[in-house]
Amino acid sequence: MRFSSLQKFILEKTWETKKPKVSRETFDLFYTNIKNPPAKKIRANIITKSIERLIDKGLVVGFAEKTQHKLFINQIKLTSVGKKTAQKLLGQQAELPFKKISRKK
């Protein structure tokens, strides 16, 4: 599976915390190191989409409040498949962007 950097961050943060459920406010920390972060409303939409995609893949369970028109995801929890994937991501070594040089004879 391919993950965005935000999805990797979400999986790593939920794996690192000792609490079973993680609040979605902790995922706002992803944007602290970015030079020009998006506005708060846009950030909330991006985080929501990432969480929903992780839920669709079966890696995360979301706990939400339901209104008449919408669901508001407040907390998430890793599934067993999500725990294995998070362990893999944390143990996986980053690939360097080596360029292949063709030598002419």
Side-chain angles (χ1 to χ4, degrees):
M1 280 187 251
R2 297 186 70 187
F3 300 106
S4 68
S5 56
L6 177 60
Q7 289 174 336
K8 289 179 186 177
F9 181 80
I10 290 171
L11 288 173
E12 289 171 3
K13 282 296 177 187
T14 51
W15 173 249
E16 289 173 355
T17 58
K18 294 183 180 179
K19 298 177 184 176
K21 296 179 186 176
V22 179
S23 174
R24 76 178 276 141
E25 284 82 29
T26 57
F27 308 132
D28 231 5
L29 297 174
F30 176 75
Y31 292 104
T32 57
N33 297 333
I34 295 178
K35 214 176 217 182
N36 296 323
K40 285 221 176 208
K41 270 190 174 182
I42 297 172
R43 263 190 248 175
N45 289 340
I46 294 170
I47 291 172
T48 302
K49 286 284 188 186
S50 292
I51 291 173
E52 287 175 353
R53 288 181 180 143
L54 288 173
I55 290 172
D56 290 341
K57 291 179 182 178
L59 302 174
V60 171
V61 176
F63 298 94
E65 292 181 23
K66 184 178 180 182
T67 63
Q68 186 177 5
H69 304 286
K70 227 176 181 183
L71 282 173
F72 295 99
I73 300 172
N74 296 331
Q75 297 176 334
I76 64 168
K77 178 182 174 182
L78 285 175
T79 61
S80 60
V81 177
K83 289 177 185 176
K84 290 177 187 175
T85 307
Q87 282 179 338
K88 224 184 260 185
L89 286 175
L90 287 172
Q92 188 176 22
Q93 187 173 0
E95 294 180 16
L96 296 174
F98 288 118
K99 294 181 181 179
K100 292 184 180 179
I101 301 172
S102 60
R103 296 184 183 187
K104 295 181 181 179
K105 292 185 180 180

